[in-house]
Structures are given as C-alpha cells and as structure tokens.
Amino acid sequence: MPTPPPSTSWDFGLDRVPAGEDLVGIGADLEVATLYEAYSVGVFPMGIGDHGAEPIGWWSPDPRGVLRPRELRVSRSLRKALPHFEVRVDTDFLGVVEACAAPDRDGRWITPSVIEAYVELHEAGWAHSVEAWQDGRLVGGLYGVAIGGLFAGESMFHHERDASKVALVGLRDLLLADGDPRRLVDVQWQTPHLATLGVREVPREEYLAVLPTVLSAPLPPCWA
C-alpha cells in the first residue's frame, strides 16, 4: 500500500475559479507531494507553452470528462480484438509514457520534465500503466494516477489497431475487480472519440462534489 506524501505548501483551492474556466493556476512544481495534492482536489498539470513547455499550467476543466467503469462501451469489433492482445499492468511504465510523448504525435504535451515527474510518482506507488502487448511487443497502453477509487487518466497510445482500447478495457476490468461502485475514471476533457466509449461530461461542481466519495474507496486490489 503506497503511503500518502506530506502535505504540499501549494494552494489548489478552486473556490476562486469562475465557472467555465479550465486553467486555474500557473507555476508550482511537479514534486510527488504536489501532484498527489493536485489530483486529490481535482486539478492536474499541463504546460501552457508550445507542446507542453513551461510554465506549468494547472487545470480543472469545466465541464469535466468522466467515465464510470461499468459504462464503458465495448463494440463488437473490439470484443473480437481482445483475445489478440495480452494486457499487462506496470511492466513498462516508462515505455508507455515515452510512447505517449512521441514527438510525431499531434497535440503532444508530455515533456522530459513531465516524464521524470510521473516516473517518480510511479515509483512512489501512485502512477500506473495498463499495457497491451502482442508477440512480445508493447503495442498500446495508457497511464494515469490512482488514488483511492479515482483513476486520473493522463494519456494513451497505440501502435496496432485497437491496442489502446484494449488497455482501456483492461483498466475497466481492474477497477471492477472488487465490485466497488465508487470508482471513477477521469479523462479530463471529453472528445468525440471518447464519447463513443461512454465518456460523458459533468459540470466541475458535480465532479468536485463526488470526488471525496470516489477517493474514499480503497485502491483496486492490483495496486493495493
């Protein structure tokens, strides 16, 4: 069981942020304690410079994209694809993050400092990867932050068709393993693609209201 880090001196209070404003602050750092505190109150980092360069922006979207694990939509074609992949957990966290940060990806935002920070968060027991493997190769996956019943998804990638979706199904199965209904996947912003998978938008106020209940759930068995 990972141990929560000491409190950070940074203030992520959202009571002064206007409705509909996604960017809630600039600055701070990417230390483990800072990241843990941010996710615990509904905030996450992303640089506001070109391709995620500094300064660090802190975000709490309004509305927020969320997925209840039981609401994941698995198409017929995806069901057929599942047996062709092996799902693994945390066997190549760095490989997943580096693939998500590939310089040829559109909208890339994961910088070397972000990679370093999340590797440290992973080593502390709070960041995890769910991976899709095929013929001994890492061909897709996702990574994010797990605190209590919250899985805050950061990014996903695929080198083979459906590989990232297979990893998402794997995440769903991990979160449903003990049947706890409090679990929630935060995807930050809903996109048309994510909407087809069951992601919906909720007002930030609603997300923040349910977050303490989500965090009160135990970590999924695989990470506890």
Side-chain angles (χ1 to χ4, degrees), residues 4 16 24 49 77 84 94 108 118 135 164 176 192 208 216 219:
R16 301 178 299 276
V24 302
S77 62
H84 298 284
L94 178 59
R108 66 187 186 278
Y118 282 82
D135 299 324
S164 59
L176 293 179
L208 297 179
S216 71
L219 280 168

Side-chain angles (χ1 to χ4, degrees), residues 134-205:
Q134 195 172 68
D135 299 324
R137 295 187 304 119
L138 175 65
V139 295
L142 58 86
Y143 79 96
V145 178
I147 303 176
L150 173 70
F151 188 88
E154 282 296 305
S155 189
M156 56 199 311
F157 82 98
H158 70 275
H159 293 323
E160 297 290 342
R161 182 176 179 178
D162 289 330
S164 59
K165 295 179 184 178
V166 168
L168 184 58
V169 173
L171 174 64
R172 187 269 316 263
D173 294 344
L174 294 171
L175 298 181
L176 293 179
D178 63 358
D180 196 312
R182 291 172 289 180
R183 305 200 186 284
L184 183 71
V185 180
D186 166 30
V187 303
Q188 302 173 351
W189 288 279
Q190 183 199 61
T191 65
H193 169 66
L194 290 175
T196 66
L197 296 172
V199 171
R200 54 190 175 90
E201 290 185 328
V202 298
R204 177 169 60 219
E205 183 178 4

Side-chain angles (χ1 to χ4, degrees), residues 36-80:
Y36 181 90
E37 176 72 16
Y39 284 100
S40 297
V41 298
V43 178
F44 60 87
M46 181 184 299
I48 62 176
D50 290 342
H51 305 306
E54 294 184 348
I56 303 169
W58 295 90
W59 305 80
S60 184
D62 188 15
R64 191 82 168 227
V66 299
L67 173 68
R68 288 287 184 182
R70 296 186 186 279
E71 296 178 1
L72 177 67
R73 298 173 188 161
V74 182
S75 67
R76 182 180 302 175
S77 62
L78 179 54
R79 290 186 189 280
K80 291 181 179 180

Side-chain angles (χ1 to χ4, degrees), residues 1 9 23-25 31 54 67 82-83 100-101 104 108 116 128 132 139 158 166 181 185 191 198 203 223:
M1 179 73 69
S9 60
L23 181 63
V24 302
E31 298 295 326
E54 294 184 348
L67 173 68
L82 292 173
C100 290
D104 59 346
R108 66 187 186 278
E116 180 180 357
H128 302 281
V139 295
H158 70 275
V166 168
V185 180
T191 65
W223 295 316

